[in-house]
Amino acid sequence: MAQPNWNLLHRDTQAVRVAVERSQYGENSEALYLTSGYVQPSAEAGARRFAGEEEGYTYARAGNPTVTSFEQRLAALEATEAAVSTSSGMAALLMMCMGLLKAGDHVVCSQSMFGSTIKLIGSDMAKFGVESTFVSQTDLAAWQAALRPNTKLLLAETPTNPLTEVCDIAALTEIAHQAGALLAVDNCFATPALQRPAELGADLVIHSGTKYLDGQGRVMAGAICCSQQLVDEKFIPVLKSCGMTLAPFNAWVVLKGMETLDIRMRAQSERAHQLALWLESHPGVARVYYPGLPSHPQHELAMRQMSGLGGAVVAFDVKGDSPELARTNAFQVLDSMQLLSLSTNLGDTKTLCAHPASTSHGRLSEAQRQAAGVGQGLIRVAVGLEHLDDIKADLERGLSLI
Ligand SMILES: *Cc1c(COP(=O)(O)O)cnc(C)c1O
């Protein structure tokens, strides 16, 4: 049977149909190839494959058909030429650093990136002589001012965790390219269902597949979406020598998860929006952070950049006249929950609630936390697929006591 022209099909269709490699049995669902080695058709062919002169799998550290299917489907959704996958989101960020940077290079990074990313750039890469400057994510002048002649990479995340700050990807691309640097965007929160950074100019799109791509809280995975040239020349060599390989089983789970990414993101974003509106009018709540609300500082930019939806993560400050009281009130809300999960993960069909000040941002000093805008009364809700009324009722249990 002839193959369709994948580029002409809609993204919903691509999410379900791209990169189905059928074996001789004609299975309809994607096959899971659990093998670490491959039998070569001849010694000559084996030699050519190892030399990179002929297509063909050699050893699973460098490639596996199920893993390839995941990479091709994600690249289609992100509108990039190619993708390379890794064992986790952090492994993708590590691979990016190892592939693109060397001692003496400089990175400009948003100060509100995921906590482990800040540690990777600011501490781990610093050990190998990579310099970095952290800037306020939404302040384009600060990004510009941080540039140096040796700046090779700008790294942003939008919306950010937990305060959902949004930055202008197209404007950051301009700043990066004028300086001869690349722009990488961590698209974990929005996913390609809502936002495609490459279409706005970003050179690299980073994913934690652990979150919404899997979408059901089962396995860890990561990926970099970018040009075929960057994959072939910068990242595959790192994968071969460092081995941050995605396991075929995990690739298969995430591949199947992506089939429902669009409808999950829409359904979860709608619930998050309704929850944000309800929280904003609640007497126990001091402030709500959600890109879909007109009160959000970058609301218009977010709506332009994120397909008109705000994403599935809502954060809010409970009332409390002192940090101690705010913390007590936040803990009361979390400890009164009977249904929702007290968990620092996100991107699950089950709604997850967390207290950032004592978990993801717990290692910071109070002053650093204040600078990051993470107060003691802040609660982050990664909204899942439960009925909205049940989510509200579970939060109301503790909120009504404030
Ligand atoms: C979770 C997360 C990561 C790290 O991904 P892992 O799969 O947990 O290694 C990176 N960036 C963002 C925004 C995340 O939420």
Side-chain angles (χ1 to χ4, degrees):
M1 225 163 80
Q3 291 268 320
N5 182 344
W6 297 112
N7 294 328
L8 296 181
L9 297 173
H10 296 86
R11 264 184 314 115
D12 297 4
T13 312
Q14 291 174 339
V16 180
R17 290 282 177 180
V18 162
V20 181
E21 284 294 332
R22 294 209 167 93
S23 76
Q24 71 273 31
Y25 300 115
E27 67 282 349
N28 188 47
S29 175
E30 293 75 356
L32 168 52
Y33 291 97
L34 286 179
T35 183
S36 45
Y38 303 87
V39 178
Q40 302 303 319
S42 70
E44 271 300 332
R48 285 196 299 273
R49 287 180 183 183
F50 270 90
E53 295 160 6
E54 177 182 307
E55 291 267 312
Y57 294 101
T58 53
Y59 184 58
R61 189 181 336 108
N64 170 286
T66 308
V67 172
T68 303
S69 290
F70 163 64
E71 293 167 343
Q72 289 178 347
R73 189 170 291 179
L74 183 60
L77 297 188
E78 281 291 4
T80 57
E81 254 173 36
V84 57
S85 57
T86 52
S87 53
S88 69
M90 289 320 301
L93 285 150
L94 174 64
M95 177 193 268
M96 177 181 73
C97 290
M98 294 188 70
L100 298 180
L101 303 171
K102 61 181 186 320
D105 287 345
H106 176 245
V107 182
V108 186
C109 184
S110 158
Q111 69 188 11
S112 32
M113 295 291 290
F114 188 62
S116 297
T117 308
I118 292 179
K119 272 201 70 78
L120 171 67
I121 302 287
S123 308
D124 299 303
M125 293 314 293
K127 278 199 312 205
F128 297 97
V130 172
E131 300 165 12
S132 55
T133 306
F134 291 89
V135 296
S136 165
Q137 158 115 348
T138 54
D139 183 354
L140 289 174
W143 288 89
Q144 185 78 50
L147 296 172
R148 298 183 196 162
N150 57 340
T151 303
K152 293 286 159 52
L153 181 68
L154 275 62
L155 179 55
E157 181 183 306
T158 179
T160 60
N161 176 25
L163 296 180
T164 71
E165 289 172 3
V166 174
C167 72
D168 188 333
I169 297 172
L172 266 189
T173 301
E174 283 249 348
I175 292 174
H177 289 181
Q178 274 176 12
L182 299 179
L183 173 67
V185 174
D186 184 329
N187 202 27
C188 174
F189 267 56
T191 81
L194 305 189
Q195 165 177 287
R196 284 173 299 288
E199 288 181 344
L200 300 167
D203 303 285
L204 304 115
V205 183
I206 311 297
H207 270 287
S208 166
T210 317
K211 310 292 170 54
Y212 293 103
L213 300 186
D214 169 10
Q216 287 144 90
R218 298 167 296 190
V219 297
M220 303 205 74
I224 304 175
C225 304
C226 58
S227 68
Q228 189 70 54
Q229 188 180 2
L230 282 178
V231 168
D232 292 344
E233 294 177 8
K234 302 292 184 188
F235 301 134
I236 295 294
V238 173
L239 185 68
K240 285 182 176 166
S241 54
C242 303
M244 56 278 271
T245 307
L246 178 61
F249 176 75
N250 293 7
W252 182 80
V253 170
V254 182
L255 181 65
K256 300 302 285 178
M258 280 195 290
E259 295 184 357
T260 53
L261 176 67
D262 201 77
I263 54 172
R264 278 189 284 106
M265 285 310 289
R266 281 177 198 285
Q268 290 176 227
S269 294
E270 275 165 26
R271 283 165 175 73
H273 193 150
Q274 293 302 319
L275 184 71
L277 286 170
W278 177 75
L279 287 167
E280 202 165 46
S281 63
H282 197 289
V285 173
R287 180 166 174 195
V288 181
Y289 307 84
Y290 184 67
L293 294 179
S295 59
H296 189 280
Q298 297 98 36
H299 173 65
E300 277 170 29
L301 169 64
M303 292 301 95
R304 222 174 38 239
Q305 209 166 252
M306 295 172 64
S307 314
L309 293 172
V313 176
V314 181
F316 64 98
D317 286 312
V318 297
K319 284 192 179 154
D321 291 337
S322 65
E324 292 74 27
L325 188 57
R327 183 182 174 103
T328 304
N329 288 342
F331 277 23
Q332 179 172 265
V333 171
L334 295 169
D335 288 335
S336 303
M337 297 185 316
Q338 296 174 1
L339 176 73
L340 309 181
S341 309
L342 181 56
S343 171
T344 50
N345 193 16
L346 64 100
D348 202 322
T349 48
K350 297 179 170 64
T351 296
L352 312 175
C353 301
H355 182 248
S358 62
T359 56
S360 54
H361 293 68
R363 283 185 293 173
L364 305 184
S365 69
E366 189 58 37
Q368 282 175 313
R369 256 197 304 275
Q370 293 295 337
V374 175
Q376 292 293 340
L378 187 74
I379 292 176
R380 187 192 73 188
V381 186
V383 179
L385 282 176
E386 300 93 339
H387 194 287
L388 180 66
D389 292 347
D390 294 331
I391 299 174
K392 283 186 197 166
D394 213 38
L395 292 171
E396 176 66 8
R397 248 182 275 283
L399 277 174
S400 63
L401 304 174
I402 294 173

